[in-house]
Amino acid sequence: MKKFIALAAVALVAMSGTPSAAPADTYWDEFIAREAEREKIRAEGPEYFSKIALLAPQGGDAELWRLSCSAPTQEMRAAASAALVKKWFPGGDPANWESVTGFFPSSSFTPKQLVAVNALFNAVDALSRVEGGKYSAAWLMTRFAKSSRAKLCFIDEMPEYFRKVLDDLIAETKMPGDWSSSRIAGPYPFVPLYGGERSMSYATANGLQFLDGAGAVANFGPYAWDRARGFVYRIVDRSDRGFWLRD
């Protein structure tokens, strides 16, 4: 990076005697400002994230999840959400989101992976609203986007509420990457309710996201997430009900 900046500086100096010097100076100023913001994401983001997670109130996962959605203050919401991210994602790293499996609570049909990603988005939302937290919010998103599947499943398509949160965060922190969405749909929070059984043909015809037997995002599986309506369905082969019901 230092070598690149040095070369850019030489090029700009060479251009200083030309009519395009002013635009070049403007570009240079913008470049330096953008890189300064991105360095804050790398340097300050993980440190603040770890600190605020320690402020989470005592309680089980269910209580932390409730607070991550509806705590009375943004600071408490950020702390509870950060604590869940630290606890649920291996290494506390959102890049490892695919390793989160199972159901939450374990006796339900609610995929824990979706709850975990929603907790991550709650953390990003709350952190972006507390003093000193926006770089942690940007750091969490850049870690999450290290996974190409995360981009496909949760960034390319997302609820309108979080799209606004993300756009504001990008504008404030200049965080790098392609954050575009091709579809805006679904409620927020997006943790789905159990909606009963549906056929494979229904799931494919309506473009639902399949989940495997452990509730994790998959190309094919016995569950399907209807993100637009906020439901998760159990997929049943009507010609052989026992096929999907063995898990």
Side-chain angles (χ1 to χ4, degrees), residues 48-49 52 55 73-79 122-137 169 172:
Y48 188 91
F49 168 68
I52 201 167
L55 301 179
T73 66
Q74 292 294 351
E75 289 79 2
M76 186 180 295
R77 186 169 174 240
N122 287 348
V124 171
D125 181 21
L127 284 166
S128 69
R129 300 174 191 274
V130 301
E131 185 177 358
K134 65 181 181 180
Y135 297 114
S136 286
L169 186 62
E172 291 181 12

Side-chain angles (χ1 to χ4, degrees), residues 22-228:
D25 288 344
T26 299
Y27 173 81
W28 177 249
D29 291 341
E30 291 175 350
F31 173 80
I32 292 298
R34 183 171 63 249
E35 287 306 308
E37 288 292 286
R38 292 177 178 180
E39 179 57 30
K40 288 181 180 179
I41 295 173
R42 294 186 288 267
E44 300 179 19
E47 181 179 359
Y48 188 91
F49 168 68
S50 295
K51 286 182 178 178
I52 201 167
L54 295 175
L55 301 179
Q58 297 297 314
D61 289 4
E63 176 63 8
L64 288 174
W65 165 248
R66 185 186 69 79
L67 290 172
S68 82
C69 293
S70 57
T73 66
Q74 292 294 351
E75 289 79 2
M76 186 180 295
R77 186 169 174 240
S81 303
L84 285 178
V85 172
K86 294 275 284 187
K87 185 174 184 179
W88 282 349
F89 294 86
D93 188 348
N96 298 324
W97 70 277
E98 290 185 86
S99 297
V100 182
T101 59
F103 298 87
F104 178 76
S106 57
S107 60
S108 74
F109 286 99
T110 305
K112 186 176 181 180
Q113 190 176 89
L114 299 185
V115 185
V117 174
N118 204 150
L120 168 67
F121 282 16
N122 287 348
V124 171
D125 181 21
L127 284 166
S128 69
R129 300 174 191 274
V130 301
E131 185 177 358
K134 65 181 181 180
Y135 297 114
S136 286
W139 177 75
L140 287 173
M141 284 305 296
T142 55
R143 291 304 307 163
F144 185 56
K146 290 291 183 182
S147 162
S148 58
R149 199 169 198 178
K151 287 185 175 182
L152 178 64
C153 295
F154 298 101
I155 296 173
D156 185 61
E157 182 173 350
M158 63 171 53
E160 181 178 6
Y161 176 86
F162 194 74
R163 182 67 254 178
K164 177 63 165 59
V165 171
L166 187 57
D167 287 340
D168 289 346
L169 186 62
I170 294 167
E172 291 181 12
T173 66
K174 317 302 181 190
M175 62 186 203
D178 178 9
W179 303 100
S180 59
S181 298
S182 64
R183 186 182 181 207
I184 305 300
Y188 193 92
F190 55 79
V191 171
L193 300 173
Y194 179 60
E197 298 178 348
R198 292 292 187 275
S199 66
M200 180 65 67
S201 59
Y202 176 90
T204 53
N206 287 276
L208 306 190
Q209 172 62 62
F210 285 106
L211 308 170
D212 65 19
V217 168
N219 294 327
F220 189 71
Y223 301 99
W225 175 27
D226 185 342
R227 66 178 74 204

